[in-house]
Amino acid sequence: MNSFFKKIRIGIILVPCLIGSIYVYVKFVKLAFGPQKKAIPSPVVIERGSIVDRNGKPLAVQTNFYHFVVTPKLILHPEEFSEKVCGPLGMSREDVLEKITTAKNANFVYIKKKISQDQYSELYKIIDENNYFNFTRFDKIPGRLYPENSLASQLIGYMGDDGTGLSGIEYSRQTMLSPEIGPDTKGTVHGNNVYLTIDAGLQYKLEKIARESIQETQAESLILIAAYARTGEIVSYISLPSANLNEYSSASTDEMTDRASVTAFEPGSVFKIFSVASFLDSNSITPDDSFLCDGTYQRRTNYGETIRITCLGYHGWLNARTALKFSCNDALAQMSEKISTEEFLSYIRRFGFGERTGIELPSETRGSVKNQSDKYWSARSKATMSIGQEISVSALQMVQAATVIANKGVQVKLTCISRIADIDGQDLYIHEPSYGGRVLKSSTADYLLSCMETTAQSGTGTKASLRDISIGVKTGTAQMADPVNGGYSSTDFLSNCMAIFPVENPQIILYIVIEKAKGETYAGRIVAPVIARAADEIIDHLGINREGAASLEHSGRITIKENAPLSVSKLVPDFKGRPKRDLLPLLGRTDLNFIIKGEGWVSSQIPEPGTPITENMTIELYLE
């Protein structure tokens, strides 16, 4: 043993150990006292909140999409690869192969963007089975799924690929749906859920009516807004044509346009309800004042200018009620002479025209209300504004103005958001009705509502009458501006109708606009019937009590008249509809053979009624 442990051998062993120990010690000291590397934090994940209807039905939900990327120069068999992946991608083999072979960048090309989770799962399986990982990649991106496709699409809006809302509620409530993150934010951040005021079930039913109406009238567009009269909550918001939100990138400009909010138009005769309300409330006229309509309103100013406004007919003597009933331009223009221009414009602005409603939607138009200092103001402006010309409004403004009449002179602010809740369902916001100032006296609002009811019963809005529930309406047909030649078009019309029901206890305001219908354009004929259909659907869906339905008293006792006994002589009688008990006496006949099959009442017979009777004839009777 002593001969084995020689100094040289011990040195050979100890020197490397010592060197290794010194190295480890030095590294330890450096790590212990040197600058520490910061841990790389996990990326923050933002889960965007959902948009749902008032009952919680999902309308826009968080999902993930994937961009499918390949490196063309590493694909050894592009034909084989294209054949295997084309199916899940929903592409042809040739299209996939073309993207690979014609790629300008040999290191990178998108085969398809925004493939779904299902497509991703199927593709991943193929790539795994064929070991394609060295030249394929999936880029995960946050996405949005819209379960109802085009339902209320302009209201819901759309989210872009970068996770930012581009329109509608997706845009206006971006920070609520996707909260901003700070430098200290970690983990997963959950956005809040936005509950809209619309009822998705009712929205679907009314969109069906709206689409049928566009087809029937061959119109270019249609707007329909239904709102609770007392709270301002919009229960249906329709702007057609509309886009499929799941295919928004390929939608047309017309499909993306939210006409109810961003489009301003001349409303025509529907505006007369607000004009007459102004005349009456200011005591410029009384309900009993009469005005003679001879078919044309004509007045010569002090400056020698002649103002001429034609009417649809010769209505004779009219008061405020009958002027609205027959939608008389002549009478309204005469009424406008009784009120000062300043006071008339003041009422128009108090109704909300010329200002945004403030609803939770982007890019809302103000419309246009001229004043006397405007360069386009003329001696005829006040008269033409009173009949809904020389003023532009939005559909939302019209509905909000109608809340004044429905709420005894007090305006209610419109809203499309019912509440906002966090991921745990805790409410962060609950809508409470917001009331503006008093616009009309209560008596004036009640009177205007009764005038609208008269219009529905026997005026221009009879086709909107519901018969079994009270409704007030006002129709209007306005010539549209001619953008090419100036002035008004002789072929393009905007037909609209306002409705409030039930009259005795207003609950719903319904407003419909049909633009550029082909053929018939008169609102009383093409829009009023749509009002009736939509109102009926709303009443049934929301369970509004039809208190005005016709009813008859009945004792409950029903008397059924006995059938006359069957008589078979020279011709075969008609047995159809006879109960089996009426046939039993015939079985005793010896000169005829009766075969009865089944139970209930006779539905068919052989031979047919009127066939001459012969001896020992067989008559077959089939009962159901």
Side-chain angles (χ1 to χ4, degrees), residues 179-453:
E180 296 180 358
I181 59 174
D184 299 326
T185 305
K186 298 178 181 179
T188 301
V189 177
H190 295 281
N192 302 306
N193 298 325
V194 176
Y195 288 73
L196 301 181
T197 55
I198 66 167
D199 183 313
L202 179 61
Q203 177 81 13
Y204 174 80
K205 294 175 182 178
L206 295 184
E207 281 197 14
K208 182 180 179 182
I209 291 174
R211 293 182 192 282
E212 290 172 353
S213 300
I214 277 193
Q215 291 179 350
E216 291 167 1
T217 60
Q218 299 179 52
E220 287 192 7
S221 66
L222 183 147
I223 300 169
L224 185 154
I225 299 175
Y228 281 121
R230 303 298 190 199
T231 66
E233 294 174 291
I234 292 176
V235 292
S236 183
Y237 189 96
I238 298 172
S239 175
L240 298 180
S242 60
N244 182 340
L245 293 174
N246 292 307
E247 301 173 1
Y248 195 78
S249 58
S250 60
S252 66
T253 302
D254 279 345
E255 292 172 329
M256 296 179 187
T257 303
D258 179 7
R259 289 173 174 78
S261 175
V262 306
T263 303
F265 54 87
E266 290 188 354
S269 294
V270 175
F271 195 79
K272 290 174 183 175
I273 57 178
F274 307 116
S275 298
V276 172
S278 304
F279 304 151
L280 289 167
D281 200 71
S282 63
N283 297 317
S284 301
I285 66 170
T286 70
D288 297 325
D289 287 345
S290 295
F291 303 86
L292 178 63
C293 169
D294 59 5
T296 303
Y297 169 78
Q298 187 166 305
R299 181 171 68 86
R300 191 173 181 83
T301 69
N302 296 332
Y303 300 98
E305 181 182 358
T306 300
I307 301 169
R308 182 178 291 105
I309 298 175
T310 58
C311 199
L312 293 175
Y314 299 85
H315 298 119
W317 288 99
L318 301 173
N319 57 21
R321 182 181 298 274
T322 49
L324 289 173
K325 172 182 174 178
F326 296 114
S327 198
C328 179
N329 291 342
D330 190 350
L332 262 290
Q334 291 180 57
M335 292 179 196
S336 71
E337 295 178 5
K338 305 295 183 180
I339 190 173
S340 70
T341 302
E342 294 81 3
E343 192 165 25
F344 181 51
L345 292 176
S346 174
Y347 269 99
I348 288 176
R349 293 188 182 280
R350 283 158 61 186
F351 272 113
F353 298 111
E355 295 294 335
R356 298 184 181 95
T357 66
I359 198 168
E360 307 91 344
L361 288 169
S363 305
E364 185 185 0
T365 181
R366 291 179 180 271
S368 175
V369 177
K370 294 188 295 186
N371 54 51
Q372 290 177 276
S373 62
D374 194 292
K375 65 178 181 179
Y376 295 110
W377 184 270
S378 69
R380 63 176 288 135
S381 292
K382 183 171 64 169
T384 53
M385 286 175 72
S386 73
I387 62 173
Q389 295 179 354
E390 288 194 46
I391 183 172
S392 66
V393 304
S394 72
L396 287 172
Q397 287 176 334
M398 291 290 283
V399 173
Q400 185 160 283
T403 65
V404 175
I405 295 173
N407 286 281
K408 295 186 176 296
V410 177
Q411 188 180 83
V412 184
K413 299 296 183 182
L414 297 182
T415 182
C416 58
I417 295 180
S418 174
R419 67 187 183 101
I420 299 175
D422 63 18
I423 188 66
D424 298 319
Q426 298 297 314
D427 288 328
L428 305 177
Y429 164 83
I430 298 177
H431 170 70
E432 293 290 340
S434 176
Y435 299 99
R438 178 168 289 280
V439 179
L440 302 173
K441 294 188 284 286
S442 177
S443 58
T444 304
D446 289 343
Y447 180 75
L448 261 294
L449 195 51
S450 72
C451 290
M452 292 175 69
E453 184 178 21

